[in-house]
Amino acid sequence: MADTFSTHAGQDPTLRDLLAARPALSMHAIDGLVFEDVPLNAIADALGTPTWVMGARTLRGRYARLSGAMRDAGLDVAIHFAVKANDHLAVLKVLGAQGAGADVVSGGELCRAMAAGIPARDIVFSGVGKTRTEMELALRHDIARINVESAEELELLSAAAVACGRTARIALRINPDVDAGTHAKITTGLAGNKFGIPYDRAADLYAHAATLPGIHPAGLAVHIGSQIERMQPYRQAYARVAELVRVIRARDLTVEVIDCGGGLGISYRHETEGAPEALANAIRLELGDLGTRLEIEPGRWLAGPAGLLLSTVILRKRGYDGMPPFIVLDAAMNDLARPSLYDAWHGIIPLSPRDAVAPTEQVHVVGPVCESGDTFGHDRTLPHLRDGSRVAILDTGAYGMVMSSTYNARPMAAQVMVDGSRWDVIRARQKIESLWEGDIVPDTLTHPAGGK
């Protein structure tokens, strides 16, 4: 029998490795897998699966470490949570109570942030394709700033501001052409990406912005990607921003704020989690002497490790001709899309203490959706899982539930928030009937012409 709680160099993390790196998780001999102080089987018993679980205490702890790192570096940095990572009102409420503002990329996210109690003065609107309606919404609520991503958007925003009788405080989002070294689908700072303004055109556009009616150029923004582990790309990007600030100021223009972006990575598998202390040092070294206000936009780093997806094994499908068996879960790609979108790796831990010490085997872990891409992991070494075994899929607090769909007419999973030893349902499991409540069948189909 293989020891599932030992470390083997060069292999995927073992159960012991996964638990050791996640202090909010523990395996109890009787209760099984516990998150914060809540046995996860208790949630699954009450609600069934699949069910999302978010940890409020974990969110607070990560926010405290991030804000403390900035403070210890001598920096006064405003933290705007990237709402696209997890937009549930309860999550936004927890972070807002700690002092977080919001970075939003749509009118819907803007309204969600305000509904959670985050003041408009603490909201920044980013994104490459804001509509006229979204611009007017932001202007009416007098949010902190709009990050402009193109010359074309700047002209549209000027017209919207004039029509609303408002002044838009803006930052130009710069594309520094820096490779963050992440997955191609989550890098945003290369010249070929759709995001931001080419570096060599930014100073002229900033000067032009100062001449436009309804526009107040307040500063610069940069965001080079997501799941960044190394500090060198940050330092390279921030050095370019600092150079640009000096060029702009040499034209007698004011730069009041620098939005340093987000993207700090976490450890899903073998990655080294990005350290807030190292990020704070990078900001201090490259931008600390410019006398501007500083902001960051963390999302994944705050929310990712604070979330789990509970699922149950529907059945074991035999693998033929020496192939590993398929472990078919009741969760699927419509619930957690990251593995099918990015080939993302997520740790999987049994909830039962008995399952956790079972002999290991190599398996394919898949969902029931009718797509070959509906998989959570090929050739994974896991303890033997039986029909009805429950598992937790780790690190799903960011880009998990927020990316879910009802593909294959699968209702949205339930959501729970744990806070120490307490847990509460924060979104009920969607009822099947609600899937077609908004469907409208034309009368001509119900009562065809000439029919009776």
Side-chain angles (χ1 to χ4, degrees):
M1 167 178 159
D3 179 4
T4 61
F5 284 90
S6 64
T7 301
H8 304 284
Q11 298 182 357
D12 283 338
T14 64
L15 298 189
R16 178 173 302 202
D17 297 332
L18 293 170
L19 289 169
R22 292 159 179 82
L25 282 173
S26 56
M27 183 66 74
H28 292 196
I30 297 175
D31 291 332
L33 191 62
V34 173
F35 185 39
E36 296 194 357
D37 297 323
V38 176
L40 292 171
N41 266 317
I43 296 173
D45 286 343
L47 300 180
T49 59
T51 293
W52 301 95
V53 183
M54 287 296 297
R57 189 170 69 190
T58 305
L59 281 169
R60 294 189 197 101
R62 294 184 73 81
Y63 185 90
R65 181 183 168 192
L66 179 61
S67 60
M70 299 298 157
R71 186 171 56 252
D72 291 346
L75 300 173
D76 183 11
V77 177
I79 299 174
H80 296 120
F81 176 64
V83 175
K84 62 181 175 289
N86 191 316
D87 67 3
H88 196 287
L89 294 184
V91 171
L92 301 180
K93 198 81 169 178
V94 168
L95 293 172
Q98 304 308 299
D103 172 71
V104 304
V105 295
S106 72
E109 286 188 353
L110 171 56
C111 292
R112 270 187 172 272
M114 292 189 296
I118 296 176
R121 66 176 180 273
D122 294 330
I123 298 175
V124 173
F125 199 147
S126 302
V128 71
K130 308 172 192 73
T131 67
R132 173 71 176 250
T133 299
E134 289 173 324
M135 291 176 180
E136 291 173 351
L137 176 69
L139 290 163
R140 285 198 306 273
H141 286 285
D142 195 27
I143 69 168
R145 198 179 63 257
I146 297 173
N147 288 347
V148 171
E149 302 226 10
S150 66
E152 294 81 3
E153 181 188 355
L154 182 61
E155 299 295 335
L156 292 172
L157 181 58
S158 173
V162 170
C164 291
R166 303 274 184 162
T167 297
R169 293 179 293 274
I170 70 151
L172 296 187
R173 178 174 174 177
I174 309 308
N175 187 321
D177 197 18
V178 169
D179 187 355
T182 63
H183 191 286
K185 291 185 179 179
I186 56 175
T187 190
T188 61
L190 289 172
N193 298 141
K194 69 180 181 180
F195 299 97
I197 294 156
Y199 184 84
D200 58 1
R201 300 182 183 179
D204 287 342
L205 188 59
Y206 197 93
H208 177 61
T211 71
L212 291 176
I215 298 294
H216 172 69
L220 302 174
V222 65
H223 180 73
I224 58 174
S226 187
Q227 187 55 12
I228 301 171
E229 302 170 45
R230 300 177 299 111
M231 290 302 111
Q232 185 56 34
Y234 281 122
R235 290 200 60 178
Q236 188 179 352
Y238 296 158
R240 300 210 78 192
V241 170
E243 177 188 358
L244 189 57
V245 169
R246 297 182 181 101
V247 169
I248 291 171
R249 285 176 171 173
R251 297 190 180 192
D252 293 327
L253 297 168
T254 300
V255 180
E256 306 161 11
V257 62
I258 298 174
D259 186 336
C260 303
L264 199 61
I266 64 173
S267 179
Y268 292 100
R269 191 180 191 179
H270 293 304
E271 306 93 334
T272 300
E273 179 168 283
E277 298 79 9
L279 177 62
N281 190 52
I283 294 172
R284 180 183 62 82
L285 290 173
E286 304 298 343
L287 303 172
D289 64 347
L290 294 174
T292 65
R293 299 195 309 276
L294 296 168
E295 302 172 354
I296 55 175
E297 306 167 4
R300 183 194 312 269
W301 193 91
L302 286 173
L308 309 167
L309 176 59
L310 306 184
S311 186
T312 301
V313 177
I314 297 174
L315 57 84
R316 293 173 56 92
K317 180 179 178 181
R318 177 182 173 185
Y320 291 92
D321 300 323
M323 298 291 290
F326 291 93
I327 304 298
V328 185
L329 302 181
D330 63 358
M333 64 184 288
N334 73 290
D335 299 302
L336 179 62
R338 295 190 71 253
S340 60
L341 285 178
Y342 312 123
D343 297 320
W345 194 97
H346 286 266
I348 300 172
I349 296 183
L351 268 56
S352 162
R354 172 187 167 190
D355 288 343
V357 296
T360 59
E361 60 180 347
Q362 194 172 58
V363 296
H364 301 318
V365 184
V366 301
V369 158
C370 289
E371 299 278 352
S372 295
D374 181 25
T375 177
F376 296 110
H378 285 290
D379 297 317
R380 296 287 287 269
T381 301
L382 292 174
H384 180 87
L385 297 172
R386 301 163 286 116
D387 294 1
S389 290
R390 292 168 176 166
V391 298
I393 302 175
L394 308 183
D395 305 313
T396 62
Y399 308 105
M401 178 63 194
V402 75
M403 297 178 75
S404 296
S405 74
T406 58
Y407 184 47
N408 278 195
R410 290 172 50 84
M412 293 286 201
Q415 294 188 65
V416 164
M417 178 168 278
V418 304
D419 194 352
S421 60
R422 175 189 175 93
W423 67 271
D424 295 281
V425 176
I426 58 173
R427 185 174 294 164
R429 188 176 310 282
Q430 187 178 17
K431 295 180 179 179
I432 288 180
E433 294 81 2
S434 72
L435 292 172
W436 57 83
E437 280 180 348
D439 291 9
I440 298 173
V441 179
D443 288 342
T444 53
L445 297 180
T446 307
H447 304 288
K452 295 183 180 179

